Amino acid sequence: AQKVTQAQTEISVVEKEDVTLDCVYETRDTTYYLFWYKQPPSGELVFLIRRNSFDEQNEISGRYSWNFQKSTSSFNFTITASQVVDSAVYFCALRGSNDYKLSFGAGTTVTVRA
Amino acid sequence: DVKVTQSSRYLVKRTGEKVFLECVQDMDHENMFWYRQDPGLGLRLIYFSYDVKMKEKGDIPEGYSVSREKKERFSLILESASTNQTSMYLCASSFVGSPWMSQYFGPGTRLLVL
């Protein structure tokens, strides 16, 4: 069974601060896929980034970056220089290679104040 | 762009009513999913379908059924709505041909059962 834990329930920052969201996962699969989704107040989940278990290279995409460490089963996500439009609920998700479905964390609500 | 649409954004029903939630995707995806989202619990899978007329139970199927008569359409049915089914319902689809099988979500339906 897959399990995803997002220990942070809520994070509040002032605009231009960096925000790091923690995600820890459990899986017995050797091949798996990790995702971060954003859910703005409108409700629709929007796919942000993804990583597979074979690629631990950390990357930056615009203001987003992620830190994937298999040794600690963590897939943390950072928003640099946050903006008010980043206010949303962020979900970390995991799919095992033999699964169709995603297992989601409970979500972290990010509030960016002007 | 992938487009997943859901029949209603908001729905109010009475206890005992039969409720239909419909989801349509326009990208010829094989997989379709129904989740419910509750505060602090993240997204939990109700049912998914990997082909027309094929379905599998997710983590919380009790009180729900589904129908997939056409590839693009996946319906969630609450046979006799109860107040504990008040929730946000999200539909998603994914493409089997990609190893990622990234899921694309609809805007969600907020259901209130009185």
Side-chain angles (χ1 to χ4, degrees):
Chain A
Q2 328 287 357
K3 184 179 179 182
V4 177
T5 302
Q6 294 178 250
Q8 302 150 309
T9 305
E10 295 184 24
I11 298 176
S12 180
V13 297
V14 177
E15 219 172 8
K16 299 185 182 176
E17 288 185 1
D18 295 348
V19 181
T20 295
L21 307 179
D22 297 334
C23 174
V24 174
Y25 61 90
E26 295 176 29
T27 181
R28 292 182 180 176
D29 290 354
T30 53
T31 301
Y32 51 89
Y33 302 87
L34 294 159
F35 304 83
W36 275 99
Y37 283 87
K38 173 184 179 181
Q39 186 180 40
S42 61
E44 181 173 344
L45 263 76
V46 177
F47 160 71
L48 294 177
I49 59 172
R50 64 191 182 190
R51 219 52 179 155
N52 68 42
S53 52
F54 296 122
D55 186 359
E56 285 193 74
Q57 184 175 0
N58 296 309
E59 291 186 18
I60 298 173
S61 175
R63 294 187 299 109
Y64 298 153
S65 63
W66 50 96
N67 186 348
F68 174 35
Q69 293 193 358
K70 286 179 73 171
S71 60
T72 56
S73 297
S74 65
F75 184 49
N76 298 336
F77 173 64
T78 297
I79 306 170
T80 301
S82 61
Q83 301 174 2
V84 172
V85 293
D86 297 325
S87 296
V89 183
Y90 291 82
F91 291 96
C92 180
L94 163 71
R95 184 179 71 78
S97 60
N98 295 319
D99 277 337
Y100 289 111
K101 67 175 189 176
L102 287 172
S103 296
F104 284 86
T108 300
T109 300
V110 174
T111 302
V112 181
R113 309 185 307 278
Chain B
D1 281 351
V2 176
K3 189 72 173 177
V4 180
T5 57
Q6 294 183 226
S7 50
S8 304
R9 292 300 302 271
Y10 300 94
L11 213 50
V12 180
K13 295 292 181 181
R14 298 221 173 261
T15 302
E17 279 192 73
K18 192 169 185 176
V19 182
F20 293 87
L21 303 181
E22 295 213 320
C23 174
V24 178
Q25 50 94 4
D26 67 356
M27 284 302 292
D28 204 35
H29 284 176
E30 293 83 2
N31 298 332
M32 295 188 75
F33 306 82
W34 275 106
Y35 295 89
R36 66 176 279 176
Q37 180 183 1
D38 301 289
L41 297 177
L43 277 73
R44 293 179 292 166
L45 182 65
I46 305 171
Y47 268 97
F48 72 97
S49 169
Y50 51 89
D51 201 350
V52 174
K53 297 191 187 295
M54 306 305 290
K55 61 186 179 184
E56 284 201 22
K57 293 180 180 179
D59 300 317
I60 51 165
E62 296 78 20
Y64 303 94
S65 62
V66 290
S67 172
R68 193 166 180 200
E69 297 296 320
K70 293 185 177 181
K71 190 175 185 180
E72 68 271 17
R73 189 179 299 268
F74 192 34
S75 300
L76 179 69
I77 303 155
L78 287 65
E79 295 289 344
S80 177
S82 63
T83 54
N84 62 16
Q85 292 179 309
T86 291
S87 187
M88 170 75 141
Y89 291 87
L90 289 155
C91 175
S93 70
S94 68
F95 176 49
V96 171
S98 162
W100 297 99
M101 284 200 267
S102 298
Q103 291 189 17
Y104 296 87
F105 285 81
T109 296
R110 294 187 186 274
L111 173 67
L112 172 62
V113 182
L114 299 174

